[in-house]
Amino acid sequence: MEESTRISLFISLLLLLLVIFPLAFYDQRAARRNLKSYTAQIFSIGTSHLTSIKHQKQGEQPIEEGLSHARFNILRAIALDNYTTNNATNDFVPHGAVYRNPRAFHQSYLEMEKRFKIFAYKEGEPPIFHSGPTANIYSIEGHFIHEMEDGANPFLTQDPSEAHVFFLPISITHIVSYVYRRDVPDYWGPLRHVVADYVDVIKEKYPYWNRSAGADHLFVACHDWGAYLSGKDTKRELYENSIRVVCNANTSEGFILNKDVTLAGINLPDGKIARPERDIDPNQRTLLAFFAGGAHGYIREAVLNHWKGKDPEVVVYEYLPKGLNYYSFMKRSKFCLCPSGYEVGTPRITEAIFMGCVPVIIAVDYPLPFSDVLDWSKFSVQIPVEKISEIKVILKGISERRYRMLKSRVLQVQRHFVLHRPAKRYDLISMTLHSVWLRRLNVKLTY
């Protein structure tokens, strides 16, 4: 019996034992209650939206065989309740309640480091292609594009035959900057054509898009219009099949759970890469909550209407008066309000985490970054829009012991939201790539 056949049989047996083993990224008790575990997902999610894709060449090829081994090793690590260690690189082992299942995450991350390869297309010219912003609210888009083309990136390959995913180096932010014109009737058209035409070039020049209908292709956008310019009106296969990594991860606007990836926003107004602040004693955090920002969207308007200038403990400004420091307020606050603006994602979440301030997330239809790995309920507070008027009551109702636990866990997850160039293990870019790796792991292709 071939090795791949033996592995497949073993995995099938493990799946039959789901009632015994909590094979999930979630905690063991939750997994026992819900047999729709992460392990089940890696064999069904992804394939469900690709059932109509047919391929002439059948049989498991080396790429898929390697992914089968990765799935097997993740299953085994969870079932046997142990870790694979790598003394050369294993400088961090995930643990604690902030992770849905630290064993699954750890093994999956090691499998990614061992196997994952990305091929970046060379077609196109800067600034619309192979470039992106690195000094504004959309900075993560540019840094991600540059990282995907950095020769020091260990996941980058120059051989497309060994690639698990193919990167489309398009900057939506730069398309908007250089192509958008508000004085034309159809301003969306030219923007969409840039994206669609690039995909058509790739389809005509290479075999990789056509063989998977784009399912092993990767696209990134942090601009608010990223979801629209990669939507079905631009290129249906890009929208339905490809892995879209977007800051505006709004499920009501086409974000597809378990296929698309939420990209954590980070604002770098001066281009300098931010780092977490040195933590201060909790007793020095004398403010209950803080927010400052424009009235962008109905959620922020509600926050401002209820709290702007009305309470010394819930300090809310629309715009900070001259001489006051935004980050100083965050550092002195126990909780930092992170309401959505015109779009769901906000860099305030990352800023709060950097400041050791417990994020209070007020959003609708927003799947949080890395939520297939991180349990946000363990280090943040989520308040429904309809309870904005009750913010103070809700936050006052959190005991000091609970607050200190939340805060300590905020510090624990900081490493996952830090941007490094080049990327480092378990940082913002590496965690984003791990989310991409999971989506690719969820899709079994026969090419």
Side-chain angles (χ1 to χ4, degrees), residues 121-401:
Y121 289 112
K122 308 298 189 295
E123 284 67 26
E125 298 292 336
I128 290 177
F129 307 100
H130 310 289
S131 183
T134 57
N136 62 23
I137 198 170
Y138 305 123
S139 295
I140 188 60
E141 179 183 299
H143 282 289
F144 191 92
I145 291 171
H146 295 314
E147 185 70 26
M148 291 304 96
E149 301 188 312
D150 189 332
N153 185 344
F155 300 108
L156 189 66
T157 179
Q158 301 302 319
D159 181 1
S161 69
E162 65 177 20
H164 297 88
V165 298
F166 297 80
F167 180 60
L168 303 168
I170 306 170
S171 172
I172 293 299
T173 303
H174 279 183
I175 288 177
V176 175
S177 297
Y178 291 94
V179 180
Y180 169 64
R181 289 181 56 189
R182 67 173 63 190
D183 58 345
V184 297
D186 178 22
Y187 60 84
W188 285 111
L191 310 184
R192 288 184 170 128
H193 284 317
V194 174
V195 177
D197 290 349
Y198 190 85
V199 172
D200 287 340
V201 168
I202 296 303
K203 290 175 66 174
E204 292 176 8
K205 188 171 182 179
Y206 298 94
Y208 311 115
W209 179 283
N210 294 321
R211 70 183 184 181
S212 69
D216 53 0
H217 281 61
L218 168 64
F219 171 90
V220 65
C222 199
H223 193 277
D224 293 349
W225 292 357
Y228 299 109
L229 295 184
S230 60
K232 58 186 177 182
D233 292 332
T234 297
K235 182 67 68 173
R236 181 170 289 275
E237 288 179 335
L238 178 66
Y239 167 69
E240 292 182 346
N241 298 336
S242 298
I243 302 169
R244 301 184 305 153
V245 180
V246 294
C247 289
N248 181 27
N250 191 333
T251 57
S252 70
E253 296 179 358
F255 183 90
I256 302 175
L257 293 171
N258 305 315
K259 179 188 77 69
D260 296 332
V261 171
T262 302
L263 182 60
I266 184 168
N267 186 17
L268 305 177
D270 57 3
K272 294 180 180 179
I273 296 179
R275 293 286 182 268
E277 291 279 335
R278 181 179 178 181
D279 192 38
I280 65 173
D281 189 286
N283 293 324
Q284 294 180 265
R285 294 185 179 268
T286 55
L287 299 177
L288 179 64
F290 167 72
F291 170 76
H296 303 156
Y298 76 98
I299 295 178
R300 292 231 199 132
E301 288 178 355
V303 171
L304 291 167
N305 288 337
H306 281 287
W307 296 104
K308 178 183 173 183
K310 295 181 179 179
D311 195 295
E313 292 185 278
V314 181
V315 178
V316 172
Y317 290 95
E318 184 168 2
Y319 295 104
L320 275 179
K322 189 174 181 179
L324 298 182
N325 185 276
Y326 177 78
Y327 296 107
S328 176
F329 272 103
M330 295 187 95
K331 200 167 185 178
R332 291 190 289 116
S333 300
K334 290 184 175 182
F335 300 94
C336 290
L337 307 184
C338 304
S340 292
Y342 289 130
E343 304 298 344
V344 292
T346 169
R348 281 176 174 75
I349 296 175
T350 302
E351 291 170 346
I353 291 172
F354 277 21
M355 294 294 161
C357 185
V358 177
V360 177
I361 299 160
I362 311 171
V364 178
D365 299 322
Y366 180 49
L368 290 158
F370 319 136
S371 55
D372 40 15
V373 169
L374 297 179
D375 184 348
W376 281 79
S377 70
K378 299 298 191 295
F379 61 94
S380 70
V381 177
Q382 297 189 44
I383 294 180
V385 174
E386 59 270 21
K387 293 190 177 183
I388 285 175
S389 62
E390 302 173 39
I391 285 176
K392 184 173 182 178
V393 173
I394 292 171
L395 297 183
K396 282 281 193 178
I398 296 174
S399 68
E400 182 66 18
R401 180 177 180 275

Side-chain angles (χ1 to χ4, degrees), residues 24-35:
F25 265 40
Y26 303 88
D27 65 85
Q28 293 188 7
R29 287 178 295 178
R32 289 192 183 100
R33 292 194 302 267
N34 183 359
L35 298 183

